[in-house]
Amino acid sequence: MWRYTFKRLLQGVITVWFIATATFAAMHLVPGDPLASDKAVSEEIRANLEAKYGLNEPVWKQYTIYLGNLAQGDFGISFTQKNRLVNDIIREHFPVSATLGLLAVLFAGLGGVIWGALTALYRNRLPDIIIMFLVILGISVPSFVVAAFGQLGLVSLNNLAGFNVLPVGGWGTVAHMLVPAMVLGLSTMAYLTRLMRSSMLEIVSSDFVRTAKAKGLPPTRIFTAHQLRNAVLPVITVLGPAIAAITTGGFVVELVFAIPGLGRYFVEAVQQLDYTVIMGTTVFYGAFLVFMVIAVDVIYGFIDPRVRLE
Amino acid sequence: MAEPTYTPEFATDAFEPLHIHERKHGTTRPSLSYWQDAWLRLRDNKRALISLYLVVGLLLFTLFGPLFWNVSPSVQDLDQVSKPPWASREAVIVAPYTLWHGETTTPSGSGLRTATPPNTQAVRLLWDPVPGATGGYRIYRNVFPINAQQAYGLPLGEQFDPNATYFEDRLDLKARDYYYTLVPLDDNGIELADATTLEVTVRNAITVQGALERGLVDADSNVEVGGRVTLKFHPLGTDYLGRDMLARLMHGARVSLFIGMVAPLLYVLLGVIYGAAAGFLGGRADALLMRFADFVVALPFLLFMILFKIMFGIGPGESGIMPMLIAMVILSWPATSRLVRGQILQIREEGYINASRLLGANTTYLIMRHMIPNTMGVILVTITFAVPTAIFTEAFLSFIGMGVAPPTPSWGSMCNEGIKTMLTTPHELIFPAMFISLTVLAFNLLGDGLRDALDARIRNIE
Amino acid sequence: MADPVLSVKNLAVEFDTYGGTVQAVRGVDFDVERGKTLAIVGESGCGKSVTVQSIMGLTPMPPGRITSGSAMMGDIDIIGRKTINGEDIRGSQIGMIFQDPMTSLNPTMNIGSQIAETLIVHRGYSSKQAFARAIELLDMSKIPEAAKRAKQYPFEFSGGMLQRAMIAMAIACEPPILIADEPTTALDVTIQAQILDLLMELQRNNGMSIILITHDLGVVARMAEHVLVMYAGQIVEHGPVDEIFYRSGHPYTMGLRAAMPTNDPNAEQRLTPIDGSPPDLFHPPVGCGYFARCPHAMRICAEQPPQAHQLSAAHAAKCWLHHEANTQQVAQINLRDHAGEEPS
């Protein structure tokens, strides 16, 4: 298991290198001089940047400088904001996105497992039909529409109540996080519910559940010890990609709810063509996702004995 | 089961042996081909069938809709801006605008009141001087009734002269209800408590010249101030620039469905070729190809879509559809290639391939007769499920302003525009959002149905 | 028959499917004698498994439905019941093992715990006691290093070992009846013999009755005292094992025998398959279910369902050939080389 973990981590590092290289390549294929397009850069900053990134050097030299900086965890300096390091920007805004994402993943995971198990148990009966209808809706409605209606709901709620039950936007307290996290987790929850449902249905009709029944176990014990545990496993395997979906989905939610997260910052940076911030954020997100997927796989290995002992 | 009753007497030939041909083998059923069977099963799936009709309907809407609703998606109807479809199209003909300084034709009345009938040309407010309003007045406008929180809405302006008890509002007026609030100010410009609110219903207004210019009335017909005309018809209303929503939705559908259907076709094709190559080559080449696919999978998808968009750049007059298509193909093929490779590897091991080979089949025959038909189902299902993803991606990118460039409508960019006025004119968001959701829903259900129909294994679970 | 542990009368089971209602079991009667083995044979889909699973309450309902019948243990009908005198029927009165041991055990729970679970639930053992007993049971089922094996997971076991573990689990509460639903079908031949030996040894030691479901006549010959032959949801013939083999009364049983290889070097017979497939149980035939495939079919067979004809004290067959009005010599048909019969 430890060897497996180590192997995965090594693969992860190589993957991050690939992401960094692809990012570098993409940004260097941008037509024109990145500095020339930006009027806000003063002569002073320009000189600094040129020295730091070796912008007058050949591309391969720039690439080695870039990789060297990355290896030291240095993402560079912002183009548009004076004296601001990309590292600072990430340090400041990422925790917000991460908190929001974590809440959303929790919401999506718990909701998905509970609703999925429920629909499987009530298969083809009213609760199943209602929940699956909502799930199909959740999968089919784009995240920004959900976000918009979430905000609309908040406004109407506050109007109805006559005071601010929950803040409509912004960041800071748990009250700020609640609705955005739910909005962000919704489509993933819908997806996980579907997955959990089919997984649960497969388990319900599986041979070992029949064995458990033949043993005369009470239904609650069959549900907890035999069905739930096995049905949750496939849900855990997709948590990695689900985290990725939620993290990038965060862009929209952060925009709509005015949350000072990294996603919103990234969109702003793109609009201002702040190249170092774009590159830094992309590589950072890429690395984060790669290691999240690895973390989920390793955790899965500890839960499923079949993987653990391989 | 109850014991059957016996006839005590038997016919004379009852115990006569029957020849094999006299017995009907009622046990065999006509055999169906894979695709026939799949189609029969799909046809029985009501949800999938409705989705199929919906998809066909959407395609007809996109391709032939503009033939029937021949309105340009970029023409602005300035008389009807952000107009929901249910709003009144009746307009009052008014005289050309003239300046106003508090003169009134209706001197009667007290408190906050309108001086002339309120219409979209101007809302003219009059009030009686408020004692203590030494610093003048401030006027607010809200589209919602004033609630307990005393949110008056948009501050329109101030009258610093306490005796100037009039105000004219010409700011972006729509034919709807407004709530005007008058707040008296003290010497220091601080708002006093005794605010008064007036509900005003604003009507459409158009000048004679305007009506003629827009062809709402014939040049020779007799139109007078105070008469009524009917404004242009927009079945689904207009957007914030007065453009026809239906026309925009049709043209937007072309962009959204083009990307939504062409991109998956292209990248699934690329994935199939790549995956099949890896599966056939096997060994080291396979390992190398698949490792590269793993790398591409690891790239954060949306970030790279944005990165590519910056990389390709969008020149003036370009819509940005092609760069998005290319970026999507570059980033999305690995999932299909993995799937196809897995299928090929699996099929290669199947007994019938060996059997076929033993009977002298060559590779081309094996691919054409066995490999392709057996992976076709999986590929078809993949494409169907890829369509909603691609539509979402387009919508998402256009929504954050990284997709299709502005004058070109797409469902995503329409949502982006609509969300800004969501609270006042929700139809601008709801219609494009509904189209995206319906399309995605249809393709998802169709995908479910296809998967169930094509995959006998899964059939029994759902 | 004296003192049966389980007596099933007129059991009928239906399933609602999208294609209509399937009459999977159409009136089945049998007795299980104490300490003896009853074999139920027949091809796939003939209703063997559905019969025993309905008795155990394992058929999913809906879509399944028991339309008639009773299964008496003593004087209590266990159909639709969970307990007898406070004891659970499943697990403590009837144990059951299944065809595919690889999928019949929970993949994420260790073997010992899966056996211990039964004891905790039915016998009220503490988890420690139960685990210790589970190790003993594994040992009884001839699993080497039982203490170590008990902590392992199903995927670490071979198929044969898993079936032993299944047996240990099924007999944990010493039920008077053990149902073995094709216990050796998924195993290779050498392992099969070991599993059958284990079952017989356990039966000798604790005197339980075994209901053995199989389509392997070799297994029947080795294990069973009494045999039921099922076809299209009905019992077409039943009797003591020797009579079934040597004096088959139903053409289907004869067909099964002809399709079975023998190890008699003098017998120069080819294996003869039974042509065709079983009837559509959405619309069961009016007459005999085997009519369409029977080499001895007569006009009457298509028109009226045959009644059971007693061939000896414990041997009966549902076939018109045995009716007194029939003038053909049944014994001759039976003795003739079955392979040469079919002209087609």
Side-chain angles (χ1 to χ4, degrees):
Chain A
M1 197 63 214
W2 294 114
R3 265 194 58 188
Y4 168 75
T5 310
F6 180 74
K7 207 179 121 199
R8 289 301 308 268
L9 284 176
L10 197 70
Q11 278 176 359
V13 171
I14 298 172
T15 311
V16 171
W17 163 78
F18 178 80
I19 293 173
T21 307
T23 312
F24 182 84
M27 294 312 286
H28 274 262
L29 288 171
V30 172
D33 177 7
L35 293 182
S37 63
D38 195 46
K39 351 132 225 16
V41 181
S42 68
E43 278 309 310
E44 198 184 344
I45 293 182
R46 173 185 291 267
N48 275 338
L49 285 171
E50 280 179 357
K52 184 168 169 67
Y53 293 107
L55 289 179
N56 298 321
E57 309 272 350
V59 173
W60 65 268
K61 187 85 191 227
Q62 292 185 31
Y63 175 63
T64 43
I65 293 174
Y66 164 75
L67 277 190
N69 287 342
L70 268 191
Q72 294 164 32
D74 178 5
F75 288 109
I77 315 163
S78 164
F79 268 34
T80 50
Q81 285 172 290
K82 256 186 203 166
N83 301 328
R84 218 160 162 221
L85 293 176
V86 178
N87 290 43
D88 289 340
I89 293 170
I90 291 174
R91 201 171 301 136
E92 187 182 330
H93 296 287
F94 180 66
V96 175
S97 295
T99 313
L100 183 66
L102 185 73
L103 268 178
V105 169
L106 269 178
F107 173 72
L110 283 178
V113 167
I114 293 171
W115 296 125
L118 214 64
T119 49
L121 290 182
Y122 285 94
R123 185 186 181 185
N124 292 343
R125 280 185 279 165
L126 198 62
D128 179 28
I129 293 165
I130 293 173
I131 295 172
M132 286 321 283
F133 177 74
L134 292 177
V135 159
I136 285 284
L137 221 60
I139 288 174
S140 304
V141 178
S143 59
F144 47 82
V145 177
V146 177
F149 283 112
Q151 200 172 36
L152 194 64
L154 273 181
V155 171
S156 332
L157 178 73
N158 290 344
N159 271 340
L160 263 177
F163 63 96
N164 275 345
V165 183
L166 288 169
V168 175
W171 193 246
T173 63
V174 180
H176 286 98
M177 303 172 191
L178 229 51
V179 173
M182 265 159 52
V183 166
L184 182 52
L186 199 70
S187 66
T188 307
M189 182 172 90
Y191 174 69
L192 292 182
T193 303
R194 262 166 83 108
L195 186 68
M196 181 70 190
R197 179 174 184 268
S198 63
S199 158
M200 194 73 181
L201 284 179
E202 202 174 304
I203 297 285
V204 164
S205 57
S206 73
D207 287 351
F208 67 83
V209 166
R210 187 182 59 185
T211 307
K213 281 184 194 156
K215 283 200 284 191
L217 300 185
T220 47
R221 166 126 192 121
I222 294 178
F223 181 71
T224 52
H226 295 276
Q227 294 178 344
L228 204 56
R229 194 188 152 104
N230 285 289
V232 161
L233 290 178
V235 175
I236 295 174
T237 56
V238 300
L239 270 187
I243 291 172
I246 280 181
T247 333
T248 36
F251 289 17
V252 159
V253 174
E254 285 170 15
L255 277 178
V256 173
F257 287 93
I259 294 166
L262 193 54
R264 197 173 75 140
Y265 204 90
F266 179 76
V267 174
E268 278 170 20
V270 169
Q271 277 153 359
Q272 297 168 356
L273 292 180
D274 191 339
Y275 290 103
T276 37
V277 174
I278 298 171
M279 285 170 81
T281 318
T282 307
V283 174
F284 177 79
Y285 260 128
F288 172 73
L289 294 181
V290 165
F291 287 109
M292 281 319 266
V293 169
I294 293 175
V296 168
D297 284 358
V298 169
I299 290 170
Y300 180 80
F302 279 104
I303 294 172
D304 190 338
R306 284 164 293 189
V307 177
R308 188 198 308 159
L309 293 154
E310 254 163 34
Chain B
M1 184 170 281
E3 275 296 312
T5 48
Y6 280 81
T7 24
E9 302 286 316
F10 294 107
T12 44
D13 60 349
F15 290 94
E16 193 176 303
L18 289 174
H19 191 262
I20 186 94
H21 301 300
E22 291 177 80
R23 289 173 262 149
K24 56 177 190 295
H25 274 271
T27 51
T28 47
R29 294 177 204 171
S31 70
L32 296 168
S33 80
Y34 176 66
W35 296 106
Q36 279 175 320
D37 184 44
W39 167 242
L40 282 180
R41 264 188 266 153
L42 187 69
R43 221 177 45 182
D44 284 344
N45 185 342
K46 225 171 247 154
R47 280 195 302 183
L49 207 61
I50 291 173
S51 309
L52 188 64
Y53 292 148
L54 207 61
V55 168
V56 172
L58 271 167
L59 286 176
L60 291 178
F61 173 77
T62 318
L63 293 175
F64 300 112
L67 295 181
F68 293 100
W69 186 245
N70 191 11
V71 172
S72 163
S74 50
V75 164
Q76 297 178 309
D77 182 352
L78 292 173
D79 300 317
Q80 301 188 78
V81 167
S82 291
K83 185 79 59 141
W86 48 85
S88 156
R89 286 191 294 125
E90 198 172 70
V92 187
I93 302 219
V94 293
Y97 176 74
T98 47
L99 283 173
W100 181 71
H101 297 288
E103 310 85 8
T104 172
T105 50
T106 50
S108 59
S110 60
L112 187 60
R113 60 189 184 271
T114 50
T116 52
N119 56 46
T120 49
Q121 191 182 48
V123 174
R124 289 165 174 172
L125 297 171
L126 276 179
W127 59 89
D128 303 324
V130 178
T134 47
Y137 308 91
R138 183 174 291 147
I139 294 92
Y140 289 90
R141 187 179 83 186
N142 201 343
V143 290
F144 298 112
I146 309 305
N147 61 10
Q149 283 164 295
Q150 309 270 300
Y152 298 139
L154 181 73
L156 287 173
E158 277 117 6
Q159 283 287 20
F160 294 114
D161 178 1
N163 296 318
T165 56
Y166 63 91
F167 185 83
E168 185 187 42
D169 174 21
R170 297 193 65 204
L171 182 71
D172 192 23
L173 285 164
K174 309 268 163 60
R176 59 167 302 156
D177 287 351
Y178 287 106
Y179 298 85
Y180 285 94
T181 305
L182 175 75
V183 186
L185 305 173
D186 71 5
D187 278 336
N188 301 320
I190 306 296
E191 294 187 358
L192 298 171
D194 48 351
T196 43
T197 298
L198 175 70
E199 183 183 345
V200 173
T201 303
V202 174
R203 303 209 174 281
N204 283 316
I206 191 164
T207 58
V208 176
Q209 203 199 346
L212 287 171
E213 272 172 12
R214 291 180 182 69
L216 298 175
V217 289
D218 295 330
D220 52 343
S221 68
N222 185 20
V223 276
E224 286 171 5
V225 171
R228 317 241 145 177
V229 289
T230 306
L231 297 175
K232 277 212 185 88
F233 179 50
H234 301 287
L236 294 180
T238 55
D239 74 353
Y240 75 117
L241 292 175
R243 295 175 292 194
D244 184 70
M245 286 290 282
L246 182 61
R248 283 182 73 70
L249 282 170
M250 283 171 179
H251 287 263
R254 292 188 163 183
V255 174
S256 296
L257 287 181
F258 177 73
I259 291 181
M261 298 176 84
V262 174
L265 272 176
L266 288 179
Y267 75 68
V268 166
L269 190 71
L270 182 63
V272 168
I273 295 169
Y274 191 94
F280 271 115
L281 293 174
R284 189 161 283 193
D286 175 33
L288 209 68
L289 286 172
M290 288 333 278
R291 180 44 48 89
F292 180 68
D294 284 347
F295 280 142
V296 177
V297 168
L299 296 176
F301 177 69
L302 285 168
L303 274 73
F304 263 79
M305 285 297 294
I306 296 170
L307 222 58
F308 278 138
K309 138 114 188 171
I310 304 171
M311 188 178 111
F312 290 123
I314 294 178
E318 287 176 33
S319 59
I321 295 173
M322 274 335 213
M324 196 191 275
L325 201 68
I326 294 167
M328 218 179 267
V329 171
I330 291 177
L331 290 172
S332 305
W333 58 268
T336 322
S337 75
R338 259 189 202 173
L339 190 76
V340 170
R341 171 185 170 266
Q343 287 279 319
I344 296 275
L345 287 184
Q346 196 189 329
I347 292 171
R348 250 175 34 163
E349 300 305 312
E350 300 276 356
Y352 61 83
I353 292 289
N354 284 330
S356 185
R357 206 172 264 152
L358 283 174
L359 291 170
N362 59 21
T363 312
T364 323
Y365 180 84
L366 284 179
I367 294 173
M368 299 306 289
R369 191 74 192 83
H370 292 299
M371 302 276 187
I372 290 180
N374 276 299
T375 41
M376 219 40 219
V378 181
I379 293 168
L380 199 63
V381 172
T382 312
I383 292 179
T384 317
F385 279 122
V387 171
T389 318
I391 290 177
F392 263 178
T393 308
E394 183 278 321
F396 181 91
L397 289 174
S398 296
F399 179 78
I400 60 174
M402 292 294 133
V404 176
T408 317
S410 88
W411 290 344
S413 59
M414 289 178 75
C415 283
N416 182 25
E417 289 156 2
I419 204 166
K420 288 164 193 154
T421 54
M422 178 182 79
L423 292 178
T424 50
T425 51
H427 75 281
E428 286 173 59
L429 172 65
I430 288 174
F431 287 130
M434 216 167 69
F435 270 89
I436 295 176
S437 306
L438 264 180
T439 314
V440 169
L441 182 76
F443 275 100
N444 272 329
L445 291 180
L446 187 62
D448 280 350
L450 273 181
R451 190 191 51 199
D452 294 350
L454 294 173
D455 190 341
R457 237 172 2 93
I458 295 171
R459 181 165 41 128
N460 296 326
I461 293 172
E462 178 72 26
Chain C
M1 273 175 247
D3 187 27
V5 249
L6 178 71
S7 177
V8 175
K9 288 271 172 295
N10 195 28
L11 184 70
V13 186
E14 292 178 353
F15 286 93
D16 289 326
T17 69
Y18 290 110
T21 304
V22 179
Q23 301 180 14
V25 177
R26 304 189 289 151
V28 159
D29 309 84
F30 62 88
D31 288 338
V32 181
E33 282 181 77
R34 200 172 295 281
K36 296 282 170 61
T37 299
L38 171 78
I40 306 181
V41 296
E43 65 200 271
S44 309
C46 71
K48 320 181 286 275
S49 293
V50 174
T51 304
V52 289
Q53 286 183 7
S54 313
I55 296 167
M56 284 289 272
L58 289 178
T59 36
M61 289 192 260
R65 192 168 52 237
I66 297 175
T67 47
S68 75
S70 63
M72 310 295 287
M73 279 187 94
D75 23 317
I76 297 161
D77 182 4
I78 64 168
I79 296 239
R81 272 179 83 110
K82 284 227 178 294
T83 53
I84 293 177
N85 305 329
E87 280 231 304
D88 290 296
I89 296 164
R90 297 163 172 182
S92 56
Q93 291 294 321
I94 308 177
M96 190 157 179
I97 59 177
F98 297 96
Q99 176 174 349
D100 189 354
M102 305 296 257
T103 59
S104 295
L105 285 159
N106 185 343
T108 58
M109 194 189 260
N110 68 42
I111 300 285
S113 303
Q114 294 194 49
I115 299 172
E117 211 178 21
T118 324
L119 293 160
I120 296 167
V121 168
H122 298 303
R123 294 279 181 269
Y125 282 26
S126 73
S127 47
K128 218 171 171 181
Q129 273 177 313
F131 203 86
R133 176 71 186 146
I135 295 172
E136 281 174 38
L137 285 161
L138 286 174
D139 202 41
M140 275 166 65
S141 306
K142 308 227 160 46
I143 288 184
E145 297 182 88
K148 186 182 139 215
R149 287 298 213 162
K151 293 200 187 77
Q152 291 184 334
Y153 290 88
F155 73 96
E156 295 170 82
F157 276 52
S158 66
M161 283 293 163
L162 279 180
Q163 197 59 295
R164 288 169 192 275
M166 279 293 290
I167 292 170
M169 198 157 80
I171 61 163
C173 297
E174 288 157 12
I177 301 173
L178 176 70
I179 298 176
D181 189 351
E182 310 218 17
T184 56
T185 311
L187 306 174
D188 54 63
V189 187
T190 47
I191 308 293
Q192 274 189 20
Q194 293 171 17
I195 295 292
L196 295 178
D197 285 343
L198 173 65
L199 281 175
M200 285 196 282
E201 188 185 325
L202 290 169
Q203 185 176 38
R204 269 201 305 279
N205 292 347
N206 64 16
M208 65 184 175
S209 312
I210 296 178
I211 302 176
L212 178 73
I213 295 173
T214 182
H215 55 250
D216 185 340
L217 293 184
V219 171
V220 174
R222 187 186 182 111
M223 293 279 293
E225 274 98 14
H226 200 84
V227 181
L228 304 180
V229 182
M230 277 190 82
Y231 186 79
Q234 288 179 324
I235 292 174
V236 292
E237 184 170 4
H238 73 88
V241 65
D242 287 347
E243 294 206 25
I244 293 287
F245 274 91
Y246 297 112
R247 282 188 292 284
S248 314
H250 195 280
Y252 178 61
T253 319
M254 299 172 205
L256 282 183
R257 262 178 46 218
M260 184 182 80
T262 63
N263 52 7
D264 179 359
N266 299 322
E268 261 184 46
Q269 69 177 36
R270 285 171 165 271
L271 294 185
T272 317
I274 302 175
D275 280 331
S277 48
D280 183 359
L281 290 181
F282 288 114
H283 311 287
V286 189
C288 174
Y290 193 55
F291 169 71
R293 304 167 80 184
C294 182
H296 311 292
M298 303 175 293
R299 189 136 297 166
I300 184 88
C301 302
E303 292 156 5
Q304 289 181 22
Q307 227 174 358
H309 293 275
Q310 214 66 34
L311 302 178
S312 73
H315 183 190
K318 275 189 184 167
C319 183
W320 281 112
L321 290 175
H322 300 290
H323 196 271
E324 59 267 16
N326 181 22
T327 50
Q328 293 184 81
Q329 285 303 307
V330 182
Q332 262 178 17
I333 290 169
N334 195 7
L335 288 174
R336 259 186 283 164
D337 183 6
H338 207 77
E341 287 262 332
E342 190 54 67
S344 61

